[in-house]
C-alpha cells in the first residue's frame, strides 16, 4: 500500500499540469453546487432577523410581499396609505403593546426618510430584552424636522450631529442636479442622533417624527393625515390574531404576518433550489467525467511504470490501489478547494447582496447537508476511476517491457 501511495504521489507530481486542471474542474463543480444555496440561506436568515421586532404589519390593501419590502426593507413602492384614524384605533386598542406608524415618500441621496414616533426606538425582540435600536450618538428626535440617522445612512451621506440637509420627494435619488432641485423640499432637516449599527434595513433610514411627513406633504388636518404602514405588537399572541382578523375584515387595510410572507418566499426559493440541485448534479457529473478522462490519460501514460512494478513483484492490488489512490488524492484536493471557494464566493456575494438589499447578511453556514452534496463527488470520482483501474490490472506487464 505504501508503494502504491508513494508511486501515486510521484505520478501526480510528474503530471502537475493535468492534476491542476482536474483539481480546478472538481473545485469549480463543487463551488457551483454550493454557492447559490449558501447565499439563499444567508438572505433567508437576514430577512427574518430584520422582521423580528414586531408581530404584524398593517398596510394598505395589495401585495403582502410588496407591503413588507416597502415598509420594512424600504426597497419597493408602498401599496398605498392608511388613515391616521386607523393607526390611532390600533394604538389605543386593548391588548396593544406597541403600534408604530411608518410614513414614506421622501429620500436624501437615495436613503429613505422615514416618519415614525418615539415608540419606534422602544421595539424589542422580547418584552424583557433591551431596545433593539440603540443610539451611538446624540438623542432621539423631540421635534419636527429632526433626524435620527441609521449607521449606514450617516456614514455614506457624511452626516454628523448638527448636519443639515433638504429632503427630496420620491423614494429614489434623482439622477441630475436639475431633477434633484425640482424635487427638493424647502424645509431643512437637522441630525440630532445617530443609531448604532444593527445589520438591518434601519441602518439605511433617516428617521423623523411622523408629524414632519404630514407637514411636508400638506396633510394639515386629521382628516387628511395618512401613514404608510403600522408595525404592530400585542401583549398576547391571541391579540395579534384578533387584530389581524379585525383589520382584514375591513376594506381600508390588510394585516400581514411577516413569517407567512417569508414562508411563501421560501417555498418559491425551494422550487428554484430543486431545479438548481438538478443542475448541480449535472455539473458534478461533468466533473466526474473530467476525473475519468484524467485517470484514463494517466493510465495510458503510466503503462510502462505499471509494467515495471508488476515485473518487480507488485501485485494486482498494488496497481489497482495506485490508480484509485491518484484519483482519491485528486478529487479530495478538488472538493476541499471547492468547499473553500464556495464559502468565499457566498461570503462576497452575501456582502454585495446585503448592500443592495439594505441589510447585513450573516456569514455563510456550510451545513452537513450541503457538505455531503459536495463530498459525494469523492465516491463518484472513485467510481469513474474503476474502469481505468480494472484495465490497468488486466494489462500484461510483458507488453510494455
Amino acid at each position: 500500500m505504501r508503494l502504491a501511495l508513494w508511486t501515486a504521489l510521484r505520478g501526480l507530481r510528474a503530471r502537475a499540469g493535468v492534476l491542476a486542471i482536474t483539481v480546478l474542474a472538481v473545485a469549480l463543480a463543487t463551488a457551483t453546487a454550493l454557492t447559490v444555496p449558501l447565499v439563499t440561506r444567508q438572505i433567508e436568515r437576514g430577512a427574518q432577523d430584520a422582521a423580528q421586532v414586531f408581530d404584524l404589519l398593517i398596510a394598505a390593501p395589495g401585495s403582502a410581499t410588496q407591503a413588507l419590502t416597502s415598509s420594512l426593507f424600504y426597497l419597493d413602492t408602498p401599496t398605498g396609505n392608511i388613515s391616521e384614524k386607523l393607526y390611532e384605533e390600533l394604538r389605543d386598542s386593548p391588548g396593544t403593546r406597541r403600534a408604530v406608524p411608518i410614513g414614506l415618500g421622501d429620500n436624501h441621496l437615495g436613503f429613505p426618510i422615514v416618519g415614525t414616533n418615539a415608540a419606534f426606538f422602544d421595539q424589542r425582540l422580547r418584552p424583557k430584552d433591551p431596545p433593539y435600536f440603540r443610539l451611538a450618538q446624540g438623542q432621539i428626535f423631540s421635534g419636527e424636522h429632526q433626524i435620527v440617522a441609521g449607521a449606514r445612512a450617516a456614514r455614506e451621506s457624511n452626516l454628523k450631529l448638527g448636519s443639515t440637509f433638504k429632503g427630496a420627494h420620491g423614494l429614489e435619488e434623482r439622477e441630475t442636479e436639475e431633477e434633484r432641485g425640482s424635487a427638493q423640499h424647502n424645509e431643512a432637516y437637522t441630525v440630532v442622533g445617530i443609531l448604532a449599527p444593527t445589520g438591518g434595513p434601519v441602518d439605511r433610514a433617516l428617521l423623523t417624527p411622523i408629524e414632519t411627513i404630514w407637514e411636508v406633504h400638506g396633510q394639515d388636518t386629521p382628516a387628511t393625515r395618512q401613514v404608510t404602514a403600522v408595525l404592530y405588537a400585542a401583549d398576547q399572541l391571541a391579540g395579534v390574531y384578533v387584530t389581524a382578523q379585525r383589520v382584514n375584515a375591513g376594506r381600508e387595510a390588510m394585516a400581514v404576518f411577516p413569517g407567512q410572507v417569508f414562508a411563501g418566499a421560501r417555498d418559491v426559493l425551494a422550487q428554484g433550489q430543486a431545479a438548481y440541485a438538478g443542475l448541480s448534479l449535472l455539473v458534478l457529473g461533468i466533473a466526474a467525467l473530467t476525473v475519468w478522462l484524467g485517470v484514463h490519460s494517466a493510465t495510458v501514460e503510466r503503462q510502462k511504470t505499471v509494467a515495471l512494478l508488476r515485473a518487480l513483484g507488485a501485485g494486482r492490488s498494488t496497481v489497482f490501489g495506485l490508480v484509485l489512490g491518484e484519483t482519491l488524492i485528486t478529487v479530495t484536493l478538488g472538493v476541499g478547494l471547492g468547499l473553500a471557494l464556495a464559502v468565499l464566493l457566498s461570503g462576497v456575494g452575501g456582502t454585495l447582496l446585503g448592500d443592495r438589499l439594505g441589510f447585513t447578511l450573516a456569514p455563510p453556514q456550510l451545513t452537513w447537508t450541503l457538505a455531503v452534496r459536495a463530498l459525494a463527488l469523492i465516491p463518484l470520482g472513485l467510481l469513474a476511476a474503476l474502469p481505468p483501474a480494472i484495465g490497468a490490472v488486466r494489462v500484461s506487464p510483458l507488453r510494455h517491457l
Side-chain angles (χ1 to χ4, degrees):
M1 191 65 185
R2 287 184 179 180
L3 177 60
L5 179 60
W6 181 83
T7 307
L9 291 174
R10 290 294 298 270
L12 290 173
R13 182 179 178 182
R15 296 187 303 278
V18 176
L19 173 65
I21 293 174
T22 307
V23 168
L24 182 60
V26 174
L28 291 176
T30 302
T32 301
L34 297 183
T35 301
V36 169
L38 283 171
V39 173
T40 300
R41 294 188 182 194
Q42 287 178 269
I43 296 174
E44 288 179 0
R45 296 201 313 272
Q48 289 174 341
D49 290 346
Q52 287 186 48
V53 292
F54 65 96
D55 302 323
L56 202 64
L57 175 70
I58 313 296
S63 165
T65 302
Q66 182 180 350
L68 201 64
T69 54
S70 61
S71 299
L72 179 62
F73 298 106
Y74 319 126
L75 296 174
D76 203 349
T77 304
T79 55
N81 292 319
I82 59 179
S83 66
E84 181 196 16
K85 180 181 177 182
L86 177 57
Y87 154 65
E88 291 177 341
E89 290 176 357
L90 291 167
R91 181 194 63 193
D92 299 334
S93 295
T96 296
R97 183 168 74 242
R98 193 176 301 107
V100 180
I102 297 294
L104 301 172
D106 293 339
N107 80 92
H108 171 60
L109 301 180
F111 294 102
I113 297 175
V114 182
T116 187
N117 61 15
F120 183 93
F121 303 99
D122 193 39
Q123 296 184 85
R124 306 162 189 262
L125 293 177
R126 288 176 293 272
K128 295 183 179 179
D129 286 351
Y132 185 75
F133 302 108
R134 295 178 296 103
L135 284 167
Q137 301 177 48
Q139 62 186 22
I140 295 174
F141 51 65
S142 59
E144 293 183 18
H145 296 285
Q146 293 183 351
I147 288 288
V148 175
R152 179 179 170 187
R155 182 179 67 252
E156 297 187 9
S157 299
N158 197 29
L159 295 176
K160 299 176 176 58
L161 295 181
S163 296
T164 60
F165 64 88
K166 291 183 178 181
H169 185 67
L171 301 177
E172 297 181 354
E173 183 182 7
R174 307 292 172 143
E175 294 184 0
T176 66
E177 289 292 341
E178 183 179 353
E179 289 177 336
R180 284 194 288 269
S182 63
Q184 208 169 53
H185 294 297
N186 294 325
E187 301 84 353
Y189 293 91
T190 302
V191 177
V192 298
I194 298 175
L195 291 175
T198 65
V202 174
D203 287 352
R204 295 176 52 249
L206 299 167
L207 303 164
T208 190
I210 189 70
E211 290 81 7
T212 306
I213 301 298
W214 293 336
E215 189 270 331
V216 167
H217 293 91
Q219 299 175 10
D220 302 321
T221 64
T224 60
R225 290 172 185 165
Q226 297 178 323
V227 300
T228 304
V230 178
L231 309 181
Y232 181 85
D235 292 326
Q236 302 292 333
L237 182 60
V240 177
Y241 288 98
V242 169
T243 300
Q245 290 176 355
R246 186 173 75 249
V247 170
N248 288 330
R251 296 184 177 181
E252 182 182 356
M254 66 176 177
V256 178
F257 288 95
Q260 291 182 354
V261 176
F262 292 141
R266 191 181 298 111
D267 290 340
V268 175
L269 288 173
Q271 295 177 12
Q273 286 192 39
Y276 186 81
L279 176 63
S280 299
L281 290 176
L282 177 61
V283 173
L284 292 175
I286 294 174
L289 180 61
T290 304
V291 172
W292 180 85
L293 289 173
V295 174
H296 179 72
S297 62
T299 301
V300 174
E301 293 179 9
R302 79 164 73 86
Q303 286 179 346
K304 290 185 177 181
T305 302
V306 170
L308 180 60
L309 288 173
R310 293 289 304 279
L312 293 175
R316 294 178 183 271
S317 61
T318 300
V319 174
F320 189 80
L322 168 63
V323 178
L324 292 188
E326 285 192 10
T327 305
L328 178 62
I329 293 171
T330 301
V331 177
T332 301
L333 287 174
V335 170
L337 179 61
L339 290 173
L341 187 60
V343 173
L344 176 63
L345 290 176
S346 58
V348 173
T351 300
L352 295 176
L353 273 175
D355 289 341
R356 180 73 176 175
L357 295 174
F359 54 89
T360 302
L361 300 184
Q365 292 182 353
L366 185 60
T367 63
W368 272 111
T369 303
L370 291 176
V372 166
R373 184 184 300 181
L375 294 174
L377 189 54
I378 295 178
L380 191 62
L382 292 176
L383 185 64
L386 280 179
I390 294 173
V393 168
R394 290 179 174 178
V395 171
S396 172
L398 298 178
R399 292 178 54 185
H400 302 284
L401 291 177

